[in-house]
Amino acid sequence: MYQNHAFSRKKAYDRVNVFVQRCGFMERQNTSSINRLLGLLGIIAVILAWLSILLAIIVSGCFNIVSMALSDLGDWVSACNGDPLCISMCNRLSEPIFNYGLIISGTLLAITTMGLYKFSKSYPIFITVAGITLALIGFLPERFGIYHFMSALAFFLTLLIAMIVYSVINRRKGLLSKMTLILAFVSFIGLVLFIAIELGFIDLGYAIPEIIGALPASIWISLLFYNYLIKRS
């Protein structure tokens, strides 16, 4: 009778153990699925931002990449200084395409970066802030003056800081770290040009330095999401 009781207890214990293992496996599966989803949405956020910009450029019909800023696509009244003739030459449909595109992509970026916090508590915070400031660029178009400018400047600065912090932390960890340094250097050139134009040292529109600053960071963020949230899940 004692042997039967001991056998029953062992059988019950085995069943509980199997149940716990299955729950743990399901939890890992769910975590992996969430990470993949966050990684995919993060990459979509990056692509959406650039598609919004490209579509707004095509729709506007008057955008000049050499003499204008990308933000002009979101507020032609300010870009044209209120000149009715100038405004009439541009298709203002580009404004919601540009502004709402940045708001959605920035919000998505800020949310999906949550998946990176389990790998580090440092550089993801800067990516989150970059997502928020990207959304603010669309939410506060050029007519908001200094608020729009500070949002744009904060966006480029936080992205650059994020890449530098990542490079320092992972300086001995493979190809992505080395690529990050190169991409950060290119983004830094864009930021320097941006500041030089603002201070009047260079007679050029903001669009080119904005692209030089943001495109390498976009590539880096996409690689982060793929390597940490999609590939490892």
Side-chain angles (χ1 to χ4, degrees):
M1 183 175 179
Y2 176 76
Q3 290 178 343
N4 289 338
H5 183 64
F7 177 76
S8 297
R9 283 194 304 174
K10 184 178 184 303
K11 192 173 182 180
Y13 174 78
D14 289 342
R15 286 178 178 175
V16 171
N17 192 39
V18 169
F19 176 75
V20 170
Q21 289 177 351
R22 286 179 178 176
C23 287
F25 174 75
M26 290 175 65
E27 185 177 352
R28 287 193 296 272
Q29 286 291 94
N30 289 335
T31 301
S32 296
S33 298
I34 291 171
N35 284 342
R36 282 196 294 269
L37 178 60
L38 288 174
L40 182 61
L41 288 175
I43 293 173
I44 289 174
V46 173
I47 294 173
L48 176 61
W50 287 105
L51 282 179
S52 300
I53 293 170
L54 181 60
L55 183 58
I57 289 173
I58 294 171
V59 168
S60 72
C62 65
F63 183 77
N64 187 323
I65 196 172
V66 176
S67 61
M68 294 182 173
L70 292 179
S71 295
D72 291 343
L73 294 163
D75 189 354
W76 285 113
V77 174
S78 297
C80 292
N81 293 316
D83 181 7
L85 179 61
C86 173
I87 297 171
S88 67
M89 294 174 62
C90 303
N91 186 346
R92 296 190 66 184
L93 182 59
S94 70
E95 294 178 354
I97 294 173
F98 180 83
N99 292 329
Y100 287 118
L102 296 192
I103 291 171
I104 294 170
S105 60
T107 303
L108 264 180
L109 180 61
I111 293 171
T112 53
T113 305
M114 290 189 301
L116 296 173
Y117 279 92
K118 68 177 182 177
F119 300 102
S120 175
K121 297 296 187 293
S122 54
Y123 66 86
I125 187 68
F126 293 105
I127 301 176
T128 300
V129 175
I132 294 171
T133 53
L134 178 61
L136 284 174
I137 292 172
F139 189 73
L140 302 170
E142 284 185 335
R143 62 180 172 273
F144 286 89
I146 188 64
Y147 300 107
H148 175 84
F149 175 78
M150 293 305 296
S151 297
L153 185 59
F155 171 70
F156 290 109
L157 277 175
T158 49
L159 282 179
L160 182 59
I161 293 170
M163 287 190 284
I164 293 172
V165 171
Y166 178 86
S167 298
V168 171
I169 294 174
N170 300 279
R171 58 186 177 277
R172 298 179 181 176
K173 295 184 180 179
L175 181 62
L176 183 56
S177 178
K178 295 176 182 177
M179 287 182 62
T180 303
L181 276 175
I182 297 171
L183 293 171
F185 179 72
V186 177
S187 286
F188 177 72
I189 292 173
L191 181 61
V192 170
L193 287 173
F194 184 92
I195 295 172
I197 293 168
E198 178 64 21
L199 295 176
F201 294 122
I202 300 176
D203 185 17
L204 186 69
Y206 289 106
I208 292 177
E210 285 171 341
I211 293 171
I212 293 173
L215 187 57
S218 300
I219 295 171
W220 174 67
I221 290 174
S222 299
L223 289 173
L224 271 186
F225 282 127
Y226 175 75
N227 279 278
Y228 285 92
L229 298 180
I230 298 176
K231 187 178 179 181
R232 296 190 183 187
S233 299

